[in-house]
Amino acid sequence: MIQIKHYSTNLQNTEVWETEYFRYINIHKVGSSTVRKGISESFDSPPKEEAPDKVVTWTVLRDPYLRFIDAIAYDIGYVGQIVNQEAVLDRLQGANISEYIFGLSNPIFRGRGTVRHSMPQVSYLLDMNLDIYVDIKDLSMFCSMHFPGVDFSKGGENLGVSEDRDVVAEVLDSHPLLKQKVLDFLHIDYFLLDRLNAMDKKWCWANGRIF
């Protein structure tokens, strides 16, 4: 059976989906809609076999800059604005950039859909004791291996509009100082990925099933 918990002792009030076999750390803009669909349709029933001694803690991670572009495009479009240069710069120039990158994933904001999707991935993982992560580029293979009965062609994706992401990327490319400021903020996420890779915590197809 699935339990959804919010860890109030964690900086982000991180949402974790737990079953008898694993703990999935829900991070925004890294394919979480797809993963939640897979979990919901595969594990919302009593276990068919004895649970393992160790419950694996896992999540999905993504290149920080590409995730940031996707997050800004999504947040602008979510409130009904057109994703254009004016809207992008309005959110990122001056002091606003820190407000859009940092914040808390409070359940109240999550329910309203007003979570800042650009919050660093590392902030979700504080005190979470991560065992392994899946790169978003490998998520399709991971899901087909771990959720074989789920039809992901019917919903589950929430990646935004590619044209909107292109607009955000073009705006940042045309404002190199602003782009560098964004990358400076995201340095901590790149450090996280480097450390996890050095600790051999990245899943690949050769690992097979982890639950």
Side-chain angles (χ1 to χ4, degrees), residues 155-168:
E157 292 291 340
N158 191 15
L159 295 178
V161 180
S162 60
E163 291 83 358
D164 291 344
R165 296 195 294 272
D166 291 342
V167 170
V168 176

Side-chain angles (χ1 to χ4, degrees), residues 7-140:
Y7 285 77
S8 59
T9 57
N10 174 277
L11 176 64
Q12 282 301 11
N13 209 320
T14 299
E15 181 177 285
V16 179
W17 288 47
E18 298 187 354
T19 73
E20 293 84 355
Y21 308 101
F22 62 81
R23 300 167 73 236
Y24 163 66
I25 301 170
N26 182 40
I27 299 177
H28 296 94
K29 306 313 294 179
V30 288
S32 58
S33 298
T34 296
V35 174
R36 294 196 305 269
K37 176 181 174 67
I39 295 173
S40 297
E41 296 187 17
S42 301
F43 291 92
D44 195 16
S45 60
K48 298 179 180 179
E49 55 190 62
E50 185 176 350
D53 293 332
K54 176 175 173 55
V55 176
V56 63
T57 298
W58 67 284
T59 194
V60 182
L61 298 174
R62 182 180 184 183
D63 176 86
Y65 186 65
L66 295 180
R67 176 176 176 267
F68 177 83
I69 290 173
D70 193 10
I72 295 300
Y74 180 86
D75 286 345
I76 293 173
Y78 187 87
V79 296
Q81 286 186 282
I82 297 174
V83 181
N84 55 27
Q85 176 169 297
E86 181 180 1
V88 174
L89 293 179
D90 181 60
R91 282 158 176 75
L92 298 183
Q93 284 188 326
N96 287 347
I97 187 171
S98 61
E99 296 177 7
Y100 274 86
I101 292 181
F102 297 105
L104 294 178
S105 184
N106 188 291
I108 297 175
F109 301 148
R110 190 181 297 119
R112 295 173 182 166
T114 55
V115 169
R116 296 183 181 94
H117 291 84
S118 57
M119 294 179 294
Q121 297 166 98
V122 66
S123 63
Y124 291 84
L125 299 177
L126 297 175
D127 301 323
M128 288 287 101
N129 296 318
L130 183 70
D131 291 312
I132 195 166
Y133 84 91
V134 180
D135 189 295
I136 195 170
K137 292 181 290 187
D138 298 320
L139 184 57
S140 178

